[in-house]
Amino acid sequence: MGTLGKAIYSLGSMVRATGKALDRVGNRLQGSSHIEEHLSRHRTLMNIFDKAPVVDKDVFVAPGATVIGDVHVGRNSSIWYGCVLRGDVNSISVGSGTNIQDNSLVHVAKSNISQKVLPTIIGNNVTVGHSAVVHGCTIEDEAFIGMGATLLDGVHVEKHAMVAAGSLVKQNTRIPSGEELALIYLSFIAIRPSKFLVYYHYTEKVWAGNPAKFLRKLTDEEIAFIAQSATNYCNLARVHAAENSKSFDEIEFEKMLRKKYAKRDEEYDSMIGVVRETPPELVLPDNILPEKAAKSIVQ
């Protein structure tokens, strides 16, 4: 830092100190009615020990998410609101195009009882649904982890495999490619002190229970859905990233536009010959709204 830089830095420090002093004076003048404001210490990216997160410039990390320590996140991936990726006692690797959805937790294990080192490795184009827990696991490319699923230490999910919502996958389970593991919810027809009587709504072979067990093979449509889900979230992440990067003036301008166009009467406009076009700021990409894309194809 040169002489000019040091002078500017010193000036900035004095201005900040003056602001703090004025804030204290204002608090005293307000007396018991004042409300003291505290700055949030939350950091989206946080070092731990000597480890720092390595996040590609195209990754969307939502406000309120936390990425800590030895974590690598690849291009076009997204870490959504309320997520925690904690790479403290081991490492976390997230590939490209992967989405880890709201309130999910990804952690690691230093080692298991057999002294096997258990980092968490998540491949490319993986979908991890809302509120999932992934702990010391390996998830290969284009796998799908449903909402609220829990994957315990040593679980290995192969490519194109699916873990259904709410499933609990016990330690060291390997889920082969193209299979679905599920927690099956049973319908109770009677409750007795000693046991439950249950019946199933399925005619094909089903493995049920918690911990989760093999349910069935995935169809080609479901495998295609896994890849499409990852693509959809890549596109949606760009929209959220753009929204979060807007300035105060841009946000206020869009509020004015929405208020103006929310009350338009197209029939009245046509009668008086007024043609209104939706501003580009209010138009989402076609791939964000599937029904919009379908209409444009039909036309």
Side-chain angles (χ1 to χ4, degrees):
M1 184 182 293
T3 305
L4 179 60
K6 290 180 180 179
I8 294 174
Y9 181 84
S10 299
L11 177 61
S13 298
M14 287 188 290
V15 171
R16 294 183 66 183
T18 303
K20 292 177 182 178
L22 290 172
D23 182 62
R24 288 193 295 269
V25 171
N27 286 339
R28 291 195 182 99
L29 291 174
Q30 288 181 328
S32 60
S33 300
H34 90 276
I35 299 174
E36 189 171 352
E37 298 176 353
H38 296 276
L39 293 176
S40 171
R41 295 179 60 84
H42 173 265
R43 286 181 285 168
T44 302
L45 304 178
M46 190 179 93
N47 297 5
I48 190 74
F49 308 126
D50 60 339
K51 302 295 185 181
V54 178
V55 177
D56 189 89
K57 62 181 179 62
D58 292 325
V59 169
F60 170 61
V61 181
T66 307
V67 181
I68 305 168
D70 192 1
V71 181
H72 289 70
V73 185
R75 184 179 181 185
N76 290 329
S77 288
S78 52
I79 314 298
W80 291 82
Y81 306 93
C83 287
V84 176
L85 280 69
R86 180 155 58 93
D88 43 15
V89 297
N90 217 319
S91 64
I92 297 172
S93 175
V94 179
S96 301
T98 288
N99 61 93
I100 300 177
Q101 296 173 18
D102 315 67
N103 296 320
S104 292
L105 169 65
V106 180
H107 193 220
V108 293
K110 190 171 184 179
S111 61
N112 60 9
I113 297 176
S114 304
Q115 300 305 308
K116 181 181 178 181
V117 178
L118 292 174
T120 293
I121 302 170
I122 302 175
N124 302 324
N125 302 317
V126 173
T127 290
V128 178
H130 312 285
S131 299
V133 177
V134 178
H135 199 280
C137 304
T138 297
I139 303 174
E140 295 185 9
D141 298 348
E142 297 183 10
F144 187 99
I145 311 301
M147 294 182 287
T150 300
L151 280 61
L152 301 179
D153 292 356
V155 168
H156 191 122
V157 182
E158 294 185 2
K159 183 175 182 178
H160 291 158
M162 177 182 287
V163 178
S167 299
L168 171 64
V169 187
K170 64 183 181 180
Q171 292 93 333
N172 303 316
T173 301
R174 190 178 189 95
I175 303 174
S177 178
E179 292 188 359
E180 180 175 6
L181 209 64
L183 168 64
I184 305 301
Y185 294 94
L186 306 177
S187 300
F188 297 105
I189 58 174
I191 300 178
R192 296 179 180 178
S194 60
K195 64 180 180 179
F196 296 117
L197 297 179
V198 299
Y199 70 95
Y200 301 93
H201 294 292
Y202 302 94
T203 56
E204 59 183 333
K205 184 177 180 181
V206 175
W207 292 20
N210 186 343
K213 297 179 181 179
F214 170 68
L215 174 62
R216 60 178 174 80
K217 290 284 187 180
L218 291 177
T219 64
D220 292 339
E221 291 79 8
E222 288 169 327
I223 291 173
F225 166 78
I226 293 174
Q228 187 59 48
S229 173
T231 300
N232 290 345
Y233 258 88
C234 282
N235 294 331
L236 190 58
R238 294 190 185 101
V239 175
H240 280 257
E243 187 66 31
N244 279 284
S245 66
K246 288 176 181 176
S247 66
F248 176 80
D249 290 339
E250 288 175 314
I251 293 171
E252 290 301 307
F253 175 66
E254 287 193 8
K255 282 183 181 178
M256 180 271 293
L257 288 177
R258 291 184 188 281
K259 184 176 180 180
K260 177 180 178 181
Y261 283 90
K263 297 182 178 180
R264 65 179 179 176
D265 186 325
E266 294 182 0
E267 184 177 352
Y268 175 75
D269 288 347
S270 64
M271 289 174 59
I272 62 175
V274 174
V275 178
R276 301 179 190 267
E277 295 183 359
T278 302
E281 294 88 349
L282 304 185
V283 179
L284 287 174
D286 288 344
N287 52 16
I288 301 300
L289 301 173
E291 67 278 7
K292 181 179 176 182
K295 289 179 182 178
S296 63
I297 292 173
V298 171
Q299 293 174 353

